[in-house]
Amino acid sequence: MGAAAELRKISRYGVIGQPVAHSLSPRIHALFAKAFGIDLSYEAIEIAPADLAARLQQLHADGYSGINVTLPHKAVVAALCEGVSERAQIAGAVNCLKRTDSGWIGDNTDGEGLVRDLARLGIAVAGQRVLLLGAGGAARGAIDPLLALHPKELVVSSRNPWKPEALAEQFKGRGPLRPCTHLALKGDHYDLIINATSAGHAGGMPRLPGPLLVEGGSCYDLSYGKAHAPFAAWAQQQSAAKTDDGLGMLVEQAAVSFEIWLGKSPDVEAVLAALRTR
Ligand code: ATR
């Protein structure tokens, strides 16, 4: 390639997943780049699990500078990285790949995205009683970042008693984490309730006992869009003083990826406003 063509070469980024066509990441990163006047491409790239290793090598050979990773690859992609950050190891998930000369370094920006979004919204965690609903991958990724904010107590609950139990075992010694079943929450009251279940994607909510939120308490959902509706309705029943969806976290985690790749901090509020007026 000649020098002129090299100069015109656009940095390539993308998000890999299956399905991935619905992803808002291409739009978010296009808005970030536009605000900085940076010329880059960011595509949604559908990859089947069986093809992941070969396609990642190909993306590297094709010169991609950074990749976001979404379902179903977040847990397995770590084994295909040259190195993985400590926070991604703890979360058990990689959602951001940064190129090296010979491969990819895996990181996780979801936890930092959650923490930044809670701060942006003025939702306190320090000294608060916090309930995390769900005990899958999304909940696992949220636990260490939440414990780092020093809640009075963090309760993780799900229908299945063994999943929260396993998480409590895994995060032993990292903070005041208590496993629970939804049913055993009866009579408890929390300052902040975070929904990390995937029930909203099927239009539902876990069955929960009685009132669980203190007066003036907040509800926060890791889901957004249609998947947020069932939790929003439940939060209203709980008379939540404040209920937020996970769109802010999505934009915040994207901003952390952008910083890792390009060393620039995007204006999250502006991009969030653009997405909400869509
Ligand atoms: P992810 O890995 O994205 O977090 P997941 O593991 O499929 O998604 O689901 C996360 C949580 O949502 C699980 O803990 C699951 O609850 P149980 O542990 O109680 O099974 C919860 N979940 C999913 N669908 C649900 C539903 N229809 N009702 C209640 N809880 C549900």
Side-chain angles (χ1 to χ4, degrees), residues 71 134-139 158-160 163 182 196-199 205-206:
L71 300 175
S158 76
R159 295 171 298 189
N160 175 332
K163 289 192 204 170
H182 291 329
T197 75
S198 53
M205 252 301 278

Side-chain angles (χ1 to χ4, degrees), residues 46-265:
E46 175 119 2
I47 297 182
D51 301 334
L52 183 60
R55 293 287 303 279
L56 263 186
Q57 267 188 8
Q58 189 58 50
L59 291 171
H60 192 272
D62 289 344
Y64 280 77
S65 301
I67 303 283
N68 282 130
V69 182
T70 188
L71 300 175
H73 306 311
K74 280 186 170 191
V76 290
V77 79
L80 303 169
C81 292
E82 275 181 349
V84 172
S85 70
E86 191 187 356
R87 63 185 177 181
Q89 285 175 35
I90 292 170
V94 164
N95 79 327
C96 178
L97 303 176
K98 186 177 162 74
R99 180 192 183 84
T100 68
D101 287 346
S102 46
W104 301 104
I105 297 290
D107 201 348
N108 186 306
T109 66
D110 283 329
E112 177 63 15
L114 170 63
V115 167
R116 287 189 188 186
D117 201 41
L118 292 172
R120 185 184 66 82
L121 293 163
I123 298 173
V125 172
Q128 306 292 297
R129 296 197 69 204
V130 182
L131 171 61
L132 185 62
L133 299 170
R140 182 178 165 182
I143 289 173
D144 212 54
L146 287 171
L147 288 175
L149 297 176
H150 305 293
K152 184 172 182 189
E153 181 177 44
L154 177 62
V155 173
V156 181
S157 81
S158 76
R159 295 171 298 189
N160 175 332
W162 297 106
K163 289 192 204 170
E165 194 66 37
L167 289 173
E169 195 58 38
Q170 186 195 334
F171 290 94
K172 211 169 171 173
R174 297 191 74 89
L177 182 65
R178 178 163 67 87
C180 201
T181 62
H182 291 329
L183 184 60
L185 293 170
K186 196 170 175 188
D188 284 0
H189 289 91
Y190 297 90
D191 303 297
L192 169 61
I193 300 181
I194 300 177
N195 179 35
T197 75
S198 53
H201 292 276
M205 252 301 278
R207 189 166 166 207
L208 298 167
L212 291 174
L213 195 66
V214 298
E215 204 181 318
S218 302
C219 286
Y220 183 93
D221 199 348
L222 265 49
S223 295
Y224 54 87
K226 276 197 188 123
H228 171 60
F231 181 68
W234 180 83
Q236 197 172 13
Q237 284 169 19
Q238 298 283 309
S239 307
K242 184 171 167 48
T243 304
D244 292 284
D245 69 8
L247 194 63
M249 176 179 163
L250 180 78
V251 179
E252 292 282 7
Q253 66 76 29
V256 182
S257 291
F258 198 86
E259 286 171 19
I260 289 170
W261 296 330
L262 292 145
K264 293 185 188 300
S265 301

